[in-house]
Amino acid sequence: MKIVGTNAPEVERALLAGELSCPRCGGRLRPWGHARERVVRRRGGEERRRPRRSRCAGCSRSHVLLFEDSLLRRRDGVEVIGAALAAKAQGQGHRRSATALGVPASTVRGWLRRFTRWAEPIRSFFTVLAHSLDPMLDAIVAGGSALGDAVEAVAVAARAGARRLGPRPPWSFASAASGGGLLSNTSCPWADRH
Ligand SMILES: [Zn+2]
């Protein structure tokens, strides 16, 4: 799996030009058909997608090219998941978020649990990232809850990223920075640290 931008023609061009690199070995990715169709639930409704598949010329592994507006093994778009996380950081319970987002309450509860479980390594990862994107950045002040501090670190890093690299939806930034593994046990950048 590799996270790419949401501009499909640009992704296709970069793939054909050999500009995309393997997330495991850094080798050149080549086109390799398409993955199975998947449904992504976005705020505006469901979207059917058939992601591009690629294969590494170096290690021969195949990688599905996943848009950065989604996460690994999640049906819901990352902006939907991020909205629930941000609402929780503001003190809103999972049931109200679920109603507002049109997602089952148990699904929202699962996101919040998982994010909370990894909150400290997530906070730490995005804090380091924020300071590497903007060395002049002030220290990020801890606010109280582990989840809230992690959400704040993601937001600060996303703003630093936007200043440095151009505008991008904050939770798409979070997906790209975590290789799509923001809510994943095994595929996130901090899995091997805990
Ligand atoms: Zn490779």
Side-chain angles (χ1 to χ4, degrees):
M1 192 76 65
K2 180 180 171 72
I3 296 289
V4 295
T6 53
N7 182 339
E10 168 55 21
V11 169
E12 186 67 16
R13 186 206 61 74
L15 180 63
L16 294 175
E19 293 172 9
L20 299 183
S21 61
C22 173
R24 294 184 71 98
C25 78
R28 186 177 287 193
L29 295 181
R30 299 213 171 109
W32 204 48
H34 288 81
R36 266 186 312 186
E37 188 179 74
R38 67 199 300 264
V39 174
V40 180
R41 289 191 296 232
R42 307 201 55 204
R43 300 211 62 170
E46 294 195 342
E47 212 176 287
R48 293 187 172 278
R49 292 181 183 170
R50 200 153 174 239
R52 195 67 153 110
R53 200 165 199 199
S54 67
R55 193 166 193 215
C56 175
C59 68
S60 300
R61 281 177 188 274
S62 70
H63 296 284
V64 174
L65 304 183
L66 192 71
F67 284 172
E68 64 186 15
D69 62 0
S70 43
L71 290 174
L72 238 65
R73 291 188 280 277
R74 301 284 148 192
R75 278 171 67 96
D76 293 278
V78 72
E79 85 272 23
V80 176
I81 295 171
L85 295 171
K88 178 69 181 174
Q90 299 295 318
Q92 182 169 300
H94 73 274
R95 284 179 209 283
R96 262 184 72 194
S97 288
T99 307
L101 296 167
V103 177
S106 57
T107 303
V108 174
R109 196 174 57 221
W111 300 336
L112 299 180
R113 270 194 192 153
R114 193 163 283 235
F115 190 82
T116 301
R117 195 171 142 219
W118 294 97
E120 177 47 31
I122 291 172
R123 186 202 61 75
S124 162
F125 175 85
F126 281 96
T127 300
V128 170
L129 181 59
H131 287 284
S132 74
L133 286 164
D134 182 0
M136 304 295 284
L137 200 66
D138 290 334
I140 304 173
V141 182
S145 81
L147 177 141
D149 290 346
V151 166
E152 174 65 9
V154 169
V156 172
R159 286 198 295 272
R163 284 196 297 277
R164 176 95 176 258
L165 311 162
R168 191 186 211 176
W171 291 100
S172 291
F173 171 89
S175 172
S178 63
L182 190 68
L183 291 184
S184 168
N185 282 343
T186 51
S187 310
C188 52
W190 42 87
D192 51 355
R193 300 182 202 172
H194 284 252

